[in-house]
Amino acid sequence: MMIVLGADHGGFIIKEAIKKYLDETNIEYIDIGSYNTESVDYPVYAKKLCSKIQDGTAELGILCCGTGIGMSMVANKQKGIRAAVLSDEFSCEFSRKHNNANVLCLGGRVVSNEKAMELAKLFLNTQFESGRHERRIAMFE
Ligand code: RB5
């Protein structure tokens, strides 16, 4: 499974922490930037990341900004993207099981590096339950 990662300056540090987890577990990923803590505009990175899911390059994405909110707002405007801003394990698990979220949004000013890694791990290892949830997701478009 290919993962795509993106961040602005507010999410750069947790993106790097998540990359450490992905490297340790041999999960393949593409990092679309940004690549340092210089101030950048999060919509640029949200759109770039979503395009990698839309064109089939990656299955799931992780977007990091200061709060996760701006990234999720932009991502949810992109066709076929279901982004969830998360900071707790229960919501993270059910965003995959029930909502088939394909983009996890995290806030570098909200969660620690350790929490970001835990949430990324849970998100990537939880499967969509399908069934009745499939019908509801079909109603999104
Ligand atoms: C940048 O300061 C900040 O606004 C951004 O990282 C994010 O939190 C937006 O939602």
Side-chain angles (χ1 to χ4, degrees), residues 55-105:
D55 71 12
T57 305
E59 197 178 319
L60 296 174
I62 302 176
L63 279 170
C64 308
C65 65
T67 58
I69 296 170
M71 288 292 199
S72 73
M73 287 179 166
V74 178
N76 277 318
K77 285 183 170 286
Q78 314 306 309
K79 194 169 169 57
I81 301 300
R82 294 174 300 280
V85 195
L86 300 165
S87 55
D88 72 276
E89 279 79 1
F90 179 83
S91 306
C92 185
E93 183 182 343
F94 282 87
S95 75
R96 290 286 304 129
K97 284 186 171 173
H98 285 192
N99 311 113
N100 200 13
N102 51 11
V103 177
L104 165 62
C105 298

Side-chain angles (χ1 to χ4, degrees), residues 1-88:
M1 176 169 59
M2 180 62 80
I3 308 303
V4 58
L5 301 175
D8 74 353
H9 51 291
F12 172 74
I13 300 290
I14 57 169
K15 172 169 70 67
E16 296 307 300
I18 293 166
K19 278 165 67 176
K20 196 164 163 262
Y21 159 69
L22 298 178
D23 287 335
E24 282 166 7
T25 49
N26 290 317
I27 297 174
E28 276 194 296
Y29 62 86
I30 306 163
D31 180 357
I32 55 101
S34 65
Y35 303 115
N36 54 52
T37 53
E38 261 173 53
S39 182
V40 290
D41 298 327
Y42 62 82
V44 172
Y45 295 90
K47 288 181 185 176
K48 194 169 173 186
L49 180 139
C50 292
S51 73
K52 298 288 181 201
I53 295 176
Q54 289 168 326
D55 71 12
T57 305
E59 197 178 319
L60 296 174
I62 302 176
L63 279 170
C64 308
C65 65
T67 58
I69 296 170
M71 288 292 199
S72 73
M73 287 179 166
V74 178
N76 277 318
K77 285 183 170 286
Q78 314 306 309
K79 194 169 169 57
I81 301 300
R82 294 174 300 280
V85 195
L86 300 165
S87 55
D88 72 276

